[in-house]
Amino acid sequence: MTDLPIDWTTEGTARRRDTYYAATQTKFVPFKDPIVFRKGQMQYLWDAEGNKYTDLLGMNVCISVGHSHPKVVAAAQAQAADLTHCTTMFYHPVPAHLAEELAATMPKGHDWVVHFTNSGAEAIDLAMTIARTYTGNLDLLALRTAYHGPTAAAQSVTGISTWRHPGMPGNVAFVADPNQYRGIFGENAGAAPYLDEIERTIATATSGRIAGMLVESVQGYGGIIEMPEGYMSGAAERVRAAGGLYIADEVQSGFGRTGDHMWGFEADGVVPDIVVMAKGIGNGFPLGAVVTRKDIAAPMAEKFMFHTYGANPTSCAAGRAVLQVIREDEVQENARTVGAALLKRLHELKDKHEAIGDVRGRGLMLAIEMVKDRRTKEPDRETTSAVFENCRASRLILSKSGPTQSVLRMVPPMCLSLADVDEVAEGLDRAFTALG
Ligand code: PMP
């Protein structure tokens, strides 16, 4: 235990944040009034006053197998006590084991290799660099409602304007998101018109030869946008025909979260050239990774590339324990069954509450989208905010997402239970009913 004093009062923390946090860290806050979390255990959180919440956000999808999961904590504690950090250039077995174990989760028949980073954005940056180095092409494609991270390069492939700042590098063309609820080609338009759009974009907004395309297998901050059947595989075909690589961003959708598969891209049978992962890989310990084929990574050996905390053995020990827990606790199966039960309850809420325009998602990656009018589908940001605030009284933590902040996103720790589903559905119902 540390003997450094900690002021657990909400007022004290709020005052310190207001005084000492830079403006860059002040906008991204959830509730109108501050909340301080003191403890987390599996799918639950406790605030500084001792109130218990069900965490439907998983601390932004980082908590994959449960807050402070005892096996993950024990693995990290043991490694931190022995050797907290070992810089990548020295050999250590723990990251090497994790690389082997991650490679084993990838589609069979390829030589998969791993580069560990500190975060998802770093992994995205590296994936962009690998694609440009391997293909010799500069242009990349990304989706308009994509989010790929806060670094300059990751922002350059992030479509949502509220996450983009001045001064990002270029050579990125954006294609329409194949949103089956409100996409530009209308409701349930399928993949085909959006695949044509990829071809048109390559022909008219790039040099015709591209480095690759980034696709979140299920979009997270975009508001849980699933890729329609045939989109990921069709996109990969078109991208490869233009000399590029297909890059799957699994930062939110990976590690069994979609219920049916370990990786979101598997739903469409596509084998990506590069897979980017982070967040859930460490269950809260900072870690990211780029997984790609050996031949694609090979030209990178020409230059130095070094992420100081990539392959940090403490985070990698946590990562190994996460993979073990996913296997032993049948986490993916739980995401599938509990997710299906929650989705059913969300549909019942839609039948009852006119403000809900759409309910979607798979596994434990779910969302409800609020509209002012179900026919015009005008996004309803205000109702979303109000329901979100009301959820605090229901002791539910979720997230406002989507380019217009009109989606409530649910990405809980994957140990959420069927008993929780009842409480969540009832809590959400109260939050809508309280709107009056
Ligand atoms: N890709 C996706 C899909 C993400 O959701 C995020 C983070 N929200 C990132 C990349 C970037 O990860 P990080 O915040 O660890 O840099």
Side-chain angles (χ1 to χ4, degrees), residues 51 65 144 150 178 184 206 230 260 279 297 336 406:
N51 300 306
V65 296
R144 289 182 195 159
I184 59 167
T206 75
D260 294 329
K279 291 188 188 277
R336 196 175 66 78
S406 54

PDB file of all heavy atoms in Angstrom, residues 51 65 144 150 178 184 206 230 260 279 297 336 406:
ATOM      1  N   ASN A  51     -21.826   3.881  -3.876  1.00  0.00           N
ATOM      2  CA  ASN A  51     -22.928   3.431  -4.728  1.00  0.00           C
ATOM      3  C   ASN A  51     -22.420   2.447  -5.783  1.00  0.00           C
ATOM      4  O   ASN A  51     -21.364   2.654  -6.377  1.00  0.00           O
ATOM      5  CB  ASN A  51     -23.572   4.623  -5.461  1.00  0.00           C
ATOM      6  CG  ASN A  51     -24.131   5.644  -4.494  1.00  0.00           C
ATOM      7  OD1 ASN A  51     -24.932   5.319  -3.617  1.00  0.00           O
ATOM      8  ND2 ASN A  51     -23.676   6.883  -4.629  1.00  0.00           N
ATOM      9  N   VAL A  65     -12.597  -8.781 -19.633  1.00  0.00           N
ATOM     10  CA  VAL A  65     -13.021  -9.972 -18.878  1.00  0.00           C
ATOM     11  C   VAL A  65     -13.481  -9.640 -17.455  1.00  0.00           C
ATOM     12  O   VAL A  65     -13.839 -10.539 -16.700  1.00  0.00           O
ATOM     13  CB  VAL A  65     -11.903 -11.049 -18.850  1.00  0.00           C
ATOM     14  CG1 VAL A  65     -11.622 -11.552 -20.258  1.00  0.00           C
ATOM     15  CG2 VAL A  65     -10.639 -10.549 -18.182  1.00  0.00           C
ATOM     16  N   ARG A 144     -16.293   7.221 -43.248  1.00  0.00           N
ATOM     17  CA  ARG A 144     -16.628   8.562 -42.739  1.00  0.00           C
ATOM     18  C   ARG A 144     -16.963   8.577 -41.255  1.00  0.00           C
ATOM     19  O   ARG A 144     -16.722   9.561 -40.583  1.00  0.00           O
ATOM     20  CB  ARG A 144     -17.807   9.140 -43.537  1.00  0.00           C
ATOM     21  CG  ARG A 144     -17.412   9.509 -44.936  1.00  0.00           C
ATOM     22  CD  ARG A 144     -18.593  10.112 -45.670  1.00  0.00           C
ATOM     23  NE  ARG A 144     -18.300  10.124 -47.091  1.00  0.00           N
ATOM     24  CZ  ARG A 144     -19.222  10.193 -48.042  1.00  0.00           C
ATOM     25  NH1 ARG A 144     -20.502  10.277 -47.717  1.00  0.00           N
ATOM     26  NH2 ARG A 144     -18.872  10.197 -49.289  1.00  0.00           N
ATOM     27  N   PRO A 150      -6.305   9.134 -31.378  1.00  0.00           N
ATOM     28  CA  PRO A 150      -6.032  10.561 -31.212  1.00  0.00           C
ATOM     29  C   PRO A 150      -4.704  11.079 -31.786  1.00  0.00           C
ATOM     30  O   PRO A 150      -4.510  12.284 -31.856  1.00  0.00           O
ATOM     31  CB  PRO A 150      -6.017  10.712 -29.685  1.00  0.00           C
ATOM     32  CG  PRO A 150      -5.486   9.394 -29.199  1.00  0.00           C
ATOM     33  CD  PRO A 150      -5.983   8.360 -30.180  1.00  0.00           C
ATOM     34  N   PRO A 178     -21.277   1.990 -44.520  1.00  0.00           N
ATOM     35  CA  PRO A 178     -22.408   1.173 -44.984  1.00  0.00           C
ATOM     36  C   PRO A 178     -23.451   0.973 -43.887  1.00  0.00           C
ATOM     37  O   PRO A 178     -23.832  -0.154 -43.547  1.00  0.00           O
ATOM     38  CB  PRO A 178     -21.736  -0.141 -45.377  1.00  0.00           C
ATOM     39  CG  PRO A 178     -20.546  -0.232 -44.492  1.00  0.00           C
ATOM     40  CD  PRO A 178     -20.085   1.174 -44.230  1.00  0.00           C
ATOM     41  N   ILE A 184     -26.205   6.538 -46.727  1.00  0.00           N
ATOM     42  CA  ILE A 184     -26.618   7.410 -47.852  1.00  0.00           C
ATOM     43  C   ILE A 184     -27.432   6.658 -48.904  1.00  0.00           C
ATOM     44  O   ILE A 184     -28.119   7.276 -49.698  1.00  0.00           O
ATOM     45  CB  ILE A 184     -25.407   8.106 -48.532  1.00  0.00           C
ATOM     46  CG1 ILE A 184     -24.408   7.075 -49.074  1.00  0.00           C
ATOM     47  CG2 ILE A 184     -24.717   9.077 -47.582  1.00  0.00           C
ATOM     48  CD1 ILE A 184     -23.381   7.681 -50.016  1.00  0.00           C
ATOM     49  N   THR A 206      -8.080   9.213 -55.318  1.00  0.00           N
ATOM     50  CA  THR A 206      -6.733   8.712 -54.999  1.00  0.00           C
ATOM     51  C   THR A 206      -5.938   8.684 -56.312  1.00  0.00           C
ATOM     52  O   THR A 206      -6.482   8.996 -57.376  1.00  0.00           O
ATOM     53  CB  THR A 206      -6.773   7.273 -54.434  1.00  0.00           C
ATOM     54  OG1 THR A 206      -7.023   6.344 -55.498  1.00  0.00           O
ATOM     55  CG2 THR A 206      -7.837   7.102 -53.362  1.00  0.00           C
ATOM     56  N   GLY A 230     -20.890  -9.288 -46.630  1.00  0.00           N
ATOM     57  CA  GLY A 230     -20.202  -9.102 -47.907  1.00  0.00           C
ATOM     58  C   GLY A 230     -19.395  -7.819 -47.993  1.00  0.00           C
ATOM     59  O   GLY A 230     -18.622  -7.640 -48.931  1.00  0.00           O
ATOM     60  N   ASP A 260     -19.959 -14.256 -31.743  1.00  0.00           N
ATOM     61  CA  ASP A 260     -19.855 -15.375 -32.690  1.00  0.00           C
ATOM     62  C   ASP A 260     -18.418 -15.747 -32.994  1.00  0.00           C
ATOM     63  O   ASP A 260     -18.126 -16.878 -33.379  1.00  0.00           O
ATOM     64  CB  ASP A 260     -20.564 -15.013 -34.005  1.00  0.00           C
ATOM     65  CG  ASP A 260     -22.057 -14.865 -33.798  1.00  0.00           C
ATOM     66  OD1 ASP A 260     -22.595 -15.561 -32.932  1.00  0.00           O
ATOM     67  OD2 ASP A 260     -22.665 -14.023 -34.486  1.00  0.00           O
ATOM     68  N   LYS A 279      -6.964  -2.006 -26.227  1.00  0.00           N
ATOM     69  CA  LYS A 279      -8.049  -2.010 -25.231  1.00  0.00           C
ATOM     70  C   LYS A 279      -8.212  -3.354 -24.517  1.00  0.00           C
ATOM     71  O   LYS A 279      -7.492  -3.636 -23.575  1.00  0.00           O
ATOM     72  CB  LYS A 279      -9.362  -1.575 -25.885  1.00  0.00           C
ATOM     73  CG  LYS A 279      -9.370  -0.086 -26.285  1.00  0.00           C
ATOM     74  CD  LYS A 279     -10.748   0.325 -26.743  1.00  0.00           C
ATOM     75  CE  LYS A 279     -10.806   1.715 -27.328  1.00  0.00           C
ATOM     76  NZ  LYS A 279     -10.910   2.784 -26.361  1.00  0.00           N
ATOM     77  N   ALA A 297       5.319  -7.530 -43.025  1.00  0.00           N
ATOM     78  CA  ALA A 297       6.142  -6.800 -42.050  1.00  0.00           C
ATOM     79  C   ALA A 297       7.603  -6.721 -42.492  1.00  0.00           C
ATOM     80  O   ALA A 297       8.339  -5.819 -42.072  1.00  0.00           O
ATOM     81  CB  ALA A 297       6.054  -7.479 -40.684  1.00  0.00           C
ATOM     82  N   ARG A 336     -22.119 -13.945 -26.424  1.00  0.00           N
ATOM     83  CA  ARG A 336     -23.141 -14.303 -27.415  1.00  0.00           C
ATOM     84  C   ARG A 336     -24.520 -14.445 -26.752  1.00  0.00           C
ATOM     85  O   ARG A 336     -25.490 -13.830 -27.183  1.00  0.00           O
ATOM     86  CB  ARG A 336     -22.752 -15.619 -28.105  1.00  0.00           C
ATOM     87  CG  ARG A 336     -23.502 -15.890 -29.396  1.00  0.00           C
ATOM     88  CD  ARG A 336     -22.963 -17.147 -30.067  1.00  0.00           C
ATOM     89  NE  ARG A 336     -23.236 -18.340 -29.275  1.00  0.00           N
ATOM     90  CZ  ARG A 336     -24.412 -18.952 -29.227  1.00  0.00           C
ATOM     91  NH1 ARG A 336     -25.415 -18.500 -29.946  1.00  0.00           N
ATOM     92  NH2 ARG A 336     -24.595 -20.009 -28.470  1.00  0.00           N
ATOM     93  N   SER A 406     -26.081  10.753 -30.673  1.00  0.00           N
ATOM     94  CA  SER A 406     -27.479  10.383 -30.466  1.00  0.00           C
ATOM     95  C   SER A 406     -27.641   8.870 -30.293  1.00  0.00           C
ATOM     96  O   SER A 406     -28.731   8.332 -30.497  1.00  0.00           O
ATOM     97  CB  SER A 406     -28.325  10.880 -31.643  1.00  0.00           C
ATOM     98  OG  SER A 406     -27.769  10.414 -32.853  1.00  0.00           O
TER      99      SER A 406
END
